[in-house]
């Protein structure tokens, strides 16, 4: 598509000239130096102690991590054994003594049908072990030499909250930040961590708000075992979800063949499809249980990380950040809707973070009040991975701490580019 810009819709925020500034004041101020960025963080927070609820949740997750795979393997082994027992012990059905004419087909079907259905079921239960994970897009990683102020600021926040330094900092185009293991499950036993920062998040926050978000993520870095178990059960949940819902060429073949073949023979495949469906329902129950427990652990981890954030920047800044994040998330959805429509016309944006902030500034006062009110009135759901914003805001405001970061400059000053 032509590399045009959304000038017709956002002329005051998105431009192609160097002389005119983009959204959130970028280009109007000089970036911090590495020394200035590091000096923005003073002192260290009081260490956050894990609660009893957190430790209990961690223990439950550990038990489920062992139990659920064993249950699934037991189902596979039990089904395979049942098929083998039937094939080796019911061969007398093939002899069909005393049965003549068309009736001879009935005992043969009694032998063949369970064997075929069981074999199909075992294959469909085993094939998820052979399926490859979807390939993810390569991340955009930052170079410390090109972004010295950001890396100095990140190191200062890590020291303040007592967290290990991330091995890598990635950026993406979402109003979010996250902490994860750099090499997946291979990094569970060490501090091999990666921090991912959404550029629209940076564009819409002040330095102190951004520092609080980083402290929250680094709070997860301090949760060693919790992060490890959380990542592990997340993989298990994702695997179960693929088993329950994902369909592939084998599923399509079974469905297409059962529909096209003569029903007098095809009923066996229909029965196989029914057994596969029942198995997936059973696995759905296991997934539901594992997800419920992992969500409870996730909420405890969020409370713990919130304490790191509050002790670094203060309760009022944390409360304001939660509302700000909701506004930016709402604006992000509108920005992607705008891009989706304009892309059909061959129009793209050169500055997606600026576009998100532009959408946020265009929200009406009524929309902003409605979003802020929703933050404190929402109810917690059973499968919520995060506590309600109202609960988190109330906890932050109740904390009596002296902030270690107090800078209302735009967070974009931490970036050279």
């Amino acid at each position: 598509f032509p590399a045009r810009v959304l000038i017709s819709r956002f002329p005051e925020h998105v431009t192609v000239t160097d002389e005119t500034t983009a959204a959130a004041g970028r280009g109007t101020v000089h970036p911090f130096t590495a020394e200035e960025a590091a000096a923005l963080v003073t002192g260290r927070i009081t260490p956050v102690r894990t609660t009893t609820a957190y430790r209990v949740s961690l223990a439950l997750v550990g038990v489920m991590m062992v139990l659920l795979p064993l249950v699934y393997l037991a189902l596979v082994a039990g089904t395979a054994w049942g098929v083998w027992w039937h094939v080796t012990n019911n061969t007398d059905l093939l002899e069909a003594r005393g049965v003549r004419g068309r009736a001879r087909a009935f005992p043969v079907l009694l032998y063949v049908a369970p064997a075929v259905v069981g074999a199909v079921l075992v294959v469909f239960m085993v094939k998820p072990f052979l399926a490859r994970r979807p390939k993810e897009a390569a991340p955009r990683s930052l170079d410390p030499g090109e972004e010295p102020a950001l890396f100095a600021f990140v190191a200062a926040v890590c020291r303040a909250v007592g967290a290990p330094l991330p091995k890598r900092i990635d950026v993406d185009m979402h109003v979010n930040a996250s902490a994860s293991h750099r090499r997946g499950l291979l990094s569970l036993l060490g501090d091999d961590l990666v921090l991912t920062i959404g550029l629209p998040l940076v564009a819409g926050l002040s330095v102190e708000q951004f520092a609080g978000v980083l402290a929250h993520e680094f709070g997860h870095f301090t949760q060693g075992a919790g992060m490890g178990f959380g990542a592990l059960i997340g993989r298990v949940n994702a695997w179960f979800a693929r088993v329950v819902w994902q369909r592939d060429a084998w599923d399509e073949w079974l469905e297409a063949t059962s529909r096209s073949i003569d029903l007098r023979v095809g009923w066996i495949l229909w029965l196989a499809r029914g057994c596969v469906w029942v198995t997936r329902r059973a696995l759905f129950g296991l997934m539901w249980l594992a997800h419920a427990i992992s969500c409870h652990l996730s909420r405890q981890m969020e409370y713990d990380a919130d304490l790191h954030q509050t002790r670094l920047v203060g309760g009022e800044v944390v409360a304001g950040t939660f509302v700000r994040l909701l506004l930016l998330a709402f604006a992000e959805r509108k920005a992607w809707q705008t891009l989706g429509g304009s892309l059909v016309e061959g129009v793209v944006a050169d500055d997606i973070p600026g576009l998100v902030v532009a959408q946020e500034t265009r929200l009406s006062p009524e929309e902003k009040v409605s979003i802020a009110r929703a933050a404190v009135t929402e109810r917690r759901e059973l499968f919520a991975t995060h506590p309600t914003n109202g609960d988190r805001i109330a906890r932050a405001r109740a904390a009596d701490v002296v902030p270690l970061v107090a800078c209302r400059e735009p967070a974009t000053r931490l970036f050279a580019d």
Side-chain angles (χ1 to χ4, degrees), residues 46-65:
T46 304
V48 176
R49 306 299 180 188
T50 56
T51 63
T52 301
Y54 179 90
R55 292 192 290 270
V56 169
S57 298
L58 192 59
L60 286 174
V61 168
V63 171
M64 292 303 297
M65 282 307 307

Side-chain angles (χ1 to χ4, degrees), residues 300-369:
Q300 296 302 318
M301 292 175 68
E302 292 302 319
Y303 282 134
D304 183 89
D306 284 349
L307 279 175
H308 291 81
Q309 180 178 3
T310 302
R311 292 179 182 180
L312 184 72
V313 298
E316 287 303 320
V317 172
V318 172
T321 302
F322 278 126
V323 176
R324 182 71 179 156
L325 290 176
L326 289 173
L327 295 174
L328 289 172
F330 186 80
E332 179 187 22
R333 290 193 295 270
K334 297 185 70 172
W336 286 113
Q337 290 170 359
T338 299
L339 287 171
S342 65
L343 191 61
V344 178
E345 305 169 6
V347 180
V348 296
D350 69 341
D351 186 357
I352 291 176
L355 180 61
V356 172
V357 175
Q359 289 281 16
E360 191 274 332
T361 60
R362 287 170 173 258
L363 292 177
S364 67
E366 292 76 15
E367 287 178 309
K368 293 183 178 181
V369 169

Side-chain angles (χ1 to χ4, degrees), residues 152-389:
F153 187 73
V154 166
V157 175
C158 283
R159 286 193 298 271
V161 301
L165 276 170
K167 293 293 192 299
R168 194 179 76 218
I169 299 179
D170 295 343
V171 292
D172 61 22
M173 286 296 167
H174 299 288
V175 179
N176 194 27
S178 63
S180 59
H181 294 93
R182 187 167 64 95
R183 296 179 298 157
L185 299 183
L186 296 176
S187 301
L188 288 182
L189 300 179
D191 295 330
D192 191 10
L193 304 168
V194 58
L195 172 69
T196 301
I197 301 171
L199 294 182
L201 180 78
V202 178
L205 297 183
S206 66
V207 169
E208 59 186 3
Q209 290 173 329
F210 180 58
V213 172
L214 291 181
H216 177 97
E217 299 307 324
F218 295 148
H220 289 310
F221 282 7
T222 66
Q223 295 167 343
M227 263 196 81
F229 275 116
L232 200 56
I233 200 166
R235 289 291 183 89
V236 172
N237 280 339
W239 187 85
F240 272 116
R242 288 167 56 200
V243 174
V244 172
W245 283 305
Q246 184 172 305
R247 302 296 179 262
D248 55 23
W250 293 13
D251 294 275
E252 295 175 358
W253 173 86
L254 181 61
E255 181 178 354
T257 304
S258 64
R259 292 180 182 275
S260 61
I261 200 171
D262 191 306
L263 188 59
R264 287 173 293 184
V265 179
W267 67 269
I268 296 178
L269 296 182
W270 281 95
L271 182 59
R273 288 179 60 188
C275 290
V276 171
W277 182 88
V278 171
T279 302
R280 282 174 171 157
R281 293 301 94 191
L283 293 176
F284 176 81
L286 294 176
M287 183 189 69
W288 182 90
L289 180 61
H291 190 53
I293 293 177
S294 64
C295 285
H296 180 71
L297 173 63
S298 177
R299 291 193 294 269
Q300 296 302 318
M301 292 175 68
E302 292 302 319
Y303 282 134
D304 183 89
D306 284 349
L307 279 175
H308 291 81
Q309 180 178 3
T310 302
R311 292 179 182 180
L312 184 72
V313 298
E316 287 303 320
V317 172
V318 172
T321 302
F322 278 126
V323 176
R324 182 71 179 156
L325 290 176
L326 289 173
L327 295 174
L328 289 172
F330 186 80
E332 179 187 22
R333 290 193 295 270
K334 297 185 70 172
W336 286 113
Q337 290 170 359
T338 299
L339 287 171
S342 65
L343 191 61
V344 178
E345 305 169 6
V347 180
V348 296
D350 69 341
D351 186 357
I352 291 176
L355 180 61
V356 172
V357 175
Q359 289 281 16
E360 191 274 332
T361 60
R362 287 170 173 258
L363 292 177
S364 67
E366 292 76 15
E367 287 178 309
K368 293 183 178 181
V369 169
S370 177
I371 293 171
R373 184 180 295 116
V376 296
T377 58
E378 65 177 327
R379 295 182 179 180
R380 194 190 77 187
E381 299 179 356
L382 175 62
F383 292 115
T385 57
H386 290 61
T388 63
N389 286 297

Side-chain angles (χ1 to χ4, degrees), residues 79-158:
T79 304
W81 179 86
V83 174
W84 175 255
W85 183 90
H86 168 73
V87 170
T88 57
N89 289 272
N90 291 328
T91 54
D92 56 325
L93 291 172
L94 297 175
E95 300 177 3
R97 297 174 181 176
V99 181
R100 298 180 180 276
R102 294 183 178 179
R104 293 193 60 182
F106 182 71
V108 174
L109 284 175
L110 285 180
Y111 180 83
V112 172
V116 172
V117 170
V120 170
L121 187 57
V122 170
V123 168
F124 272 72
M125 294 175 74
V126 170
K127 73 180 178 72
F129 289 108
L130 308 177
R132 295 180 179 179
R133 294 185 62 201
K135 189 175 181 180
E136 299 178 353
R140 177 67 179 270
S141 301
L142 299 182
D143 183 349
E146 295 179 356
E147 296 292 345
L150 175 67
F151 278 82
F153 187 73
V154 166
V157 175
C158 283

